[in-house]
């Protein structure tokens, strides 16, 4: 499974070939509003930071102005007179104290900005994680795990500098810039105009550089996500197994290296965007004092020749050029910051894109809880139809559904409906077996019952309640699934079991493990129940994992059990143990089994035969054999009229329980 349906998510995830296309789903106006909203809970912190920044930035112009005062009133009061020492002491004291005060405030300010910044990011990660947890299976089947991880870590991490540094430095620079320009104007407006003439050019260039930066950042983040996906796919146990078995090491390396190279290139570009600009500004400002001296010299000599009292003193010129040099840093850094901000908008965009994806499986406003104690376990599908090719926005994806299994093989037209008008009922306590060719829709039906997907039309009912009308999390109290692929966490056996029932006692754990015939095996392990099972349980054999998964469900004791029988081969003992573990599990509860074993089918109260999404036959084994329809055909083909218990990937299980591993080509 896993074809076609998630195309929209794949797009959102920015699959490899969409590197150049920023998604642009979140409008710019909303983006700024949404970013501002992130800071709302921290408005007091932000206000204090703002005040501190303005205060220190304002304080910054005092010293350059003091230069003029020192020069003109204390050091060189008039030509030939001695410096005014007492005055000089006071002024020098003030000039030393100011930077000390600024420095002290700066420490507090850094602490506050980091605090606010880290809290905002913590918040964002929590929200993103919670939102993703609430996404339906549809999203996860269409999005690569690595991509999701990358957004949660790389993208959120990437905004850190913006959140902590950028905003404050922006404010600080604006204040510094304004106060400096005002001070400069007061000292000499003519020289100020001269100094600022070229600024508009810088602003224009910055805007351009920012746009490029935004694009490059978006690409770099996509590339990071791609890397993360590659790593996740190829360095996981299943991935490395596949790569080793198929000898694909070299290709995987090549793929990784290429993407890695792309990322490095993008990172270089990201760094370089706007750098020339800063170089130009730097040069410009370094040369500026000379220009000021020149102009001042011209003005003074003009004044002297025309007998006008010179308005420009030495103090004026030194103070002015000092102020002017103070302009370089804020202008340069503001331009730099605005380029960076553009880049980080791309990050915010990627984060909000996930945050704003609607949840498609949510509680109805008046949803009732299913009471696990009161539920009898009647499961009904009423004229249910379902298609995968509908995205979370309810739109049908344009391309037809890719089909697998028999459909593709016999060249029939692809079908749009995975489930087509199915009505069936399993009464409380019954064991129902769902059988049918591969790709018929058995798994899909099993997903619809616990509302992992919503039906496209029709109704799924548990005890007469439409599953869309009950609280989603209360369904999981009632319905449990044992899937073919057993998923275990990289944690102890105990923690894996407790997942089903966090408050279970050791006695309960052991009882469940005994019922699943796994207790004896667990106590044999080096640390018993505290033994780590290894990544996804790879340290356990297939049968042991299945039995652990069964023990987990025994602990949960659901009213309705959905069982997808494994098709993979187990050795005879494991096979028997798994079967033995399953028997008591099915007893006393409604069980819907996607049956691959004859014993399950024979034990079933009712068998539903599914073909190409439709319910084609239903009845007991005897009735269905009698009808000589699809079931009779499957029974003959798959179970050789009862001589074979189950077919598995690399052999057959005989009715005696013996497993015969056959060379692949001889298996029908
Ligand atoms: P079965 O369990 O009987 O083998 P499934 O229920 O898995 O069949 O699949 C029914 C049909 O739906 C198949 O044609 C399959 O290709 C398709 N399908 C299954 N899962 C998805 C998915 N996530 N996205 C799109 N199509 C899917």
């Amino acid at each position: 499974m896993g074809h076609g349906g998630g195309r929209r998510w794949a797009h959102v995830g920015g699959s490899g070939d969409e590197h150049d296309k920023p998604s642009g789903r979140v409008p710019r106006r909303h983006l700024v509003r949404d970013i501002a909203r992130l800071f709302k809970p921290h408005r007091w912190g932000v206000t204090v930071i703002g005040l501190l920044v303005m205060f220190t930035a304002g304080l910054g112009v005092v010293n350059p102005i003091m230069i003029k005062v020192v020069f003109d009133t204390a050091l060189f009061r008039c030509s030939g007179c001695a410096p005014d020492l007492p005055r000089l002491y006071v002024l020098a004291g003030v000039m030393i104290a100011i930077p000390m005060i600024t420095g002290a405030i700066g420490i507090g300010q850094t602490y506050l900005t980091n605090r606010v910044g880290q809290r905002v990011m913590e918040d964002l990660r929590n929200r993103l994680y919670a939102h993703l947890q609430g996404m339906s299976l549809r999203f996860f089947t269409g999005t690569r795990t690595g991509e999701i991880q990358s957004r949660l870590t790389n993208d959120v991490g990437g905004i850190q500098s913006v959140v902590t540094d950028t905003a404050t430095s922006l404010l600080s620079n604006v204040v510094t810039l304004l106060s400096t320009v005002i001070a400069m104007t007061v000292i000499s407006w003519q020289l100020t105009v001269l100094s600022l003439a070229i600024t508009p050019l810088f602003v224009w260039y910055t805007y351009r550089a920012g746009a490029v930066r935004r694009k490059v950042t978006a690409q770099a983040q996509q590339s990071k996500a791609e890397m993360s996906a590659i790593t996740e796919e190829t360095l996981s146990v299943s991935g490395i197994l596949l790569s080793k078995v198929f000898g694909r090491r070299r290709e995987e390396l090549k793929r990784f290296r290429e993407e890695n190279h792309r990322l490095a290139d993008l990172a270089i570009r990201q760094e370089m965007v706007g750098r020339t600009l800063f170089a130009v500004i730097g040069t410009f400002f370094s040369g500026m004092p000379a220009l000021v001296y020149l102009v001042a010299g011209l003005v003074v000599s003009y004044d002297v020749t025309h007998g006008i009292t010179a308005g420009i003193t030495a103090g004026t010129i030194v103070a002015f050029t000092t102020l002017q040099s103070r302009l370089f840093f804020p202008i340069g850094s503001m331009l730099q910051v605005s380029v960076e901000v553009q880049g980080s908008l791309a990050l915010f965009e990627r984060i909000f894109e996930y945050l704003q994806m609607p949840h498609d499986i949510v509680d109805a406003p008046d949803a009732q809880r299913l009471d696990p104690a009161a539920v009898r376990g009647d499961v009904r599908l009423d004229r249910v139809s379902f298609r995968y090719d509908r995205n979370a926005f309810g739109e049908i994806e344009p391309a037809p559904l890719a089909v697998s299994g028999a459909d593709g093989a016999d060249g029939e037209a692809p079908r749009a409906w995975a489930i087509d008008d199915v009505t069936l009922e399993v009464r409380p306590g019954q064991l129902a077996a769902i059988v049918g060719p591969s790709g018929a829709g058995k798994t899909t039906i099993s997903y619809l019952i616990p509302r992992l997907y919503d039906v496209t039309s029709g109704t799924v009912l548990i005890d007469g309640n439409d599953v869309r009308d009950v609280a989603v999390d209360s369904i999981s109290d009632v319905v449990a699934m044992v899937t073919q692929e057993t998923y275990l966490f990289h944690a102890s056996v105990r923690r894996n079991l407790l997942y089903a029932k966090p408050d279970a006692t050791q006695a309960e754990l052991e009882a469940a493990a005994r019922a699943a015939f796994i207790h004896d095996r667990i106590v044999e392990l080096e640390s018993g129940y505290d033994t780590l099972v290894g990544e996804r349980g790879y340290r356990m054999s297939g049968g042991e994992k299945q039995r652990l998964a069964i023990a987990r469900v025994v602990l949960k004791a659901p009213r309705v059990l959905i069982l997808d029988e494994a098709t993979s081969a187990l050795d005879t003992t494991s096979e028997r143990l798994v079967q033995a573990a399953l028997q008591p599990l099915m007893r006393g509860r409604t069980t819907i089994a996607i049956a691959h074993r004859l014993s399950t089918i024979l034990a079933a109260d009712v068998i539903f035969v599914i073909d190409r999404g439709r319910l084609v036959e239903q009845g007991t084994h005897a009735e269905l054999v009698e009808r000589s329809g699809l079931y009779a055909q499957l029974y003959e083909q798959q179970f050789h009229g009862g001589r074979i218990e189950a077919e598995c990937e690399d052999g057959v299980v005989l009715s005696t329980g013996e497993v015969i591993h056959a060379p692949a080509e001889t298996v029908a």
Side-chain angles (χ1 to χ4, degrees), residues 60-81:
V61 283
V62 175
N63 269 2
I65 292 178
M66 293 287 285
I67 297 177
K68 182 172 160 61
V69 180
V70 170
F71 268 57
D72 294 352
T73 71
L75 280 179
F76 315 111
R77 284 179 295 160
C78 46
S79 52
C81 33

Side-chain angles (χ1 to χ4, degrees), residues 1-6 137-138 141-142 388-389 401-405 407 415 417-419 436-445 447 453 564 594 610:
M1 65 173 215
H3 311 278
L137 211 54
R138 197 188 284 276
T141 55
Y388 278 104
D389 54 352
L401 177 70
V403 282
S404 65
D407 297 338
R415 67 179 208 261
W417 296 91
I419 298 298
S438 153
K442 305 182 292 292
T443 312
T444 308
I445 291 180
Y447 285 160
Y453 290 97
D564 193 349
I594 300 173
I610 309 289

Side-chain angles (χ1 to χ4, degrees), residues 376-570:
R376 293 171 300 123
D378 182 83
V379 175
R380 201 143 57 83
L381 267 64
D382 187 19
R383 307 212 58 179
V384 166
S385 295
F386 175 77
R387 49 195 297 162
Y388 278 104
D389 54 352
R390 193 176 284 254
N391 62 34
F393 303 92
E395 305 151 0
I396 292 178
E397 298 275 322
L401 177 70
V403 282
S404 65
D407 297 338
D410 56 24
E412 287 179 51
R415 67 179 208 261
W417 296 91
I419 298 298
D420 190 358
D421 199 17
V422 166
T423 298
L424 57 82
E425 178 168 12
V426 187
R427 283 197 288 279
Q430 275 194 332
L431 164 60
I434 301 182
V435 298
S438 153
K442 305 182 292 292
T443 312
T444 308
I445 291 180
S446 78
Y447 285 160
L448 292 175
I449 296 169
R451 207 185 165 203
L452 295 177
Y453 290 97
D454 266 340
V455 295
T456 312
S457 68
T459 332
V460 174
L461 303 119
I462 296 177
D463 275 18
N465 303 297
D466 186 332
V467 288
R468 285 167 299 190
D469 294 338
V470 299
V472 178
D473 62 341
S474 74
I475 299 178
S476 62
D477 292 338
V478 173
V479 184
M481 284 180 100
V482 177
T483 47
Q484 268 203 32
E485 178 85 32
T486 319
Y487 190 89
L488 297 174
F489 295 102
H490 185 96
S492 63
V493 171
R494 183 191 311 283
R495 277 212 29 219
N496 270 291
L497 290 177
L498 285 178
Y499 197 72
K501 192 181 179 197
D503 56 352
T505 61
Q506 177 67 21
E508 282 177 296
L509 288 188
E510 285 182 18
R514 282 214 171 81
F517 292 92
I518 188 72
H519 173 75
D520 292 341
R521 177 75 189 100
I522 295 174
V523 291
E524 272 172 31
L525 296 170
E526 69 262 23
S527 329
Y529 277 82
D530 294 311
T531 313
L532 285 182
V533 297
E535 179 79 8
R536 289 205 193 173
Y538 272 89
R539 285 175 62 190
M540 302 230 131
S541 81
E544 287 163 3
K545 275 197 292 180
Q546 280 175 16
R547 271 139 58 209
L548 258 188
I550 292 168
R552 199 152 60 177
V553 176
V554 171
L555 269 177
K556 176 125 198 158
R559 275 312 303 155
V560 178
L561 170 68
I562 294 167
L563 172 67
D564 193 349
E565 279 186 329
T567 47
S568 53
L570 299 176

Side-chain angles (χ1 to χ4, degrees), residues 190-204:
Q190 297 90 337
L191 291 177
T192 310
V193 171
L194 179 75
S195 312
L196 294 181
I198 203 164
T199 313
L201 192 66
F202 292 156
V203 172
W204 171 80

